Amino acid sequence: MPGLTPARFNRLLRRMGQRVRWRRAAACPCRDPHSGQARPTCPVCEGRGVMWGQPREAWTGLSSMKVAREWAEFGEFTSGDVILTIPSDSPLYGCGEHDRIVMADSSEPFSAILTRGENDRLTVPALRLERVFWLNDAGDAVVEGAIPSVAPDGTLGWASGGAPPEGRQYTVQGRRHQEYFVFKDLPQDRAHYGGRDLPRRVAARRFDLFGR
């Protein structure tokens, strides 16, 4: 009987899996050396204590719902968690705790409330923006705005006008790629079968839960 073959696992996961963009995490130097607490006003990590490198193209498989149920029974499941099965020939195979993973082949609707002039930046990658609106001065009617441009760091801009008034809260709607961070490696015996580099299994959590 043939043993477990990494190449066959890799071919299957490459064919059936998803393309992702992977960013490696690193502890931000702003952390206090004694408490480990991040500086709340740090402009690099924004008080999270973790910073991320440039995105790298990779691919991964998504495990069955059976594995997700087992993860829930283990007592650490949060709505939105996914279980990734990572082939050994994917760059993502070297991922670690808090690394960010964007699912490049799928998207979902989103809605974010920002404040003009104070918080004009999306914290998640937007695939496209579809609507911007706010309430008028009386607070009894909706005002539609122009669709802004989005800078690489997520900052919104209205070079051609149609922006919300300064200091006004406004809502941005659109579609975004789903983004996760590596929460936990799930050890299993098969990873040590004959010393072969068989697929890793990790739990990933929605990035908007990071730091809560």
Side-chain angles (χ1 to χ4, degrees):
M1 180 180 294
L4 300 179
T5 305
R8 292 180 178 177
F9 277 119
N10 293 344
R11 285 196 297 269
L12 175 64
L13 292 169
R14 183 68 180 263
R15 186 171 67 250
M16 305 297 293
Q18 284 208 34
R19 295 180 303 117
V20 300
R21 291 192 295 273
W22 165 46
R23 298 174 65 186
R24 186 181 291 279
C28 183
C30 78
R31 285 187 178 184
D32 185 281
H34 304 292
S35 67
Q37 181 67 38
R39 179 159 52 90
T41 57
C42 178
V44 176
C45 72
E46 300 179 331
R48 294 189 177 101
V50 179
M51 54 190 295
W52 291 272
Q54 293 299 311
R56 184 178 179 184
E57 300 295 323
W59 56 93
T60 184
L62 296 177
S63 293
S64 68
M65 290 303 296
K66 178 177 182 293
V67 176
R69 286 197 301 271
E70 291 172 353
W71 173 237
E73 290 166 3
F74 188 63
E76 297 192 45
F77 179 81
T78 294
S79 179
D81 283 1
V82 296
I83 308 299
L84 306 179
T85 299
I86 308 171
S88 62
D89 62 347
S90 171
L92 189 62
Y93 197 72
C95 69
E97 187 179 22
H98 297 156
D99 287 5
R100 292 169 70 164
I101 300 170
V102 174
M103 298 296 179
D105 291 332
S106 58
S107 65
E108 64 182 1
F110 80 93
S111 181
I113 299 175
L114 306 174
T115 302
R116 178 66 177 140
E118 298 178 13
N119 179 26
D120 295 302
R121 188 166 74 86
L122 297 174
T123 58
V124 295
L127 180 60
R128 65 175 179 271
L129 300 183
E130 299 172 342
R131 188 186 182 197
V132 175
F133 64 94
W134 57 92
L135 299 180
N136 63 6
D137 292 338
D140 58 3
V142 170
V143 180
E144 299 288 340
I147 301 299
S149 61
V150 184
D153 67 349
T155 300
L156 306 181
W158 285 267
S160 301
E166 196 74 13
R168 186 69 54 87
Q169 283 194 174
Y170 61 97
T171 298
V172 178
Q173 289 183 315
R175 294 195 69 86
R176 66 182 181 184
H177 290 298
Q178 298 161 333
E179 185 170 21
Y180 299 85
F181 69 96
V182 176
F183 180 66
K184 190 178 184 68
D185 195 0
L186 301 176
Q188 52 197 9
D189 291 340
R190 77 180 187 198
H192 306 288
Y193 180 86
R196 294 181 174 90
D197 293 328
L198 297 172
R200 288 183 63 195
R201 188 170 66 175
V202 303
R205 185 154 287 181
R206 294 300 296 265
F207 186 73
D208 54 9
L209 296 174
F210 189 87
R212 290 190 186 177

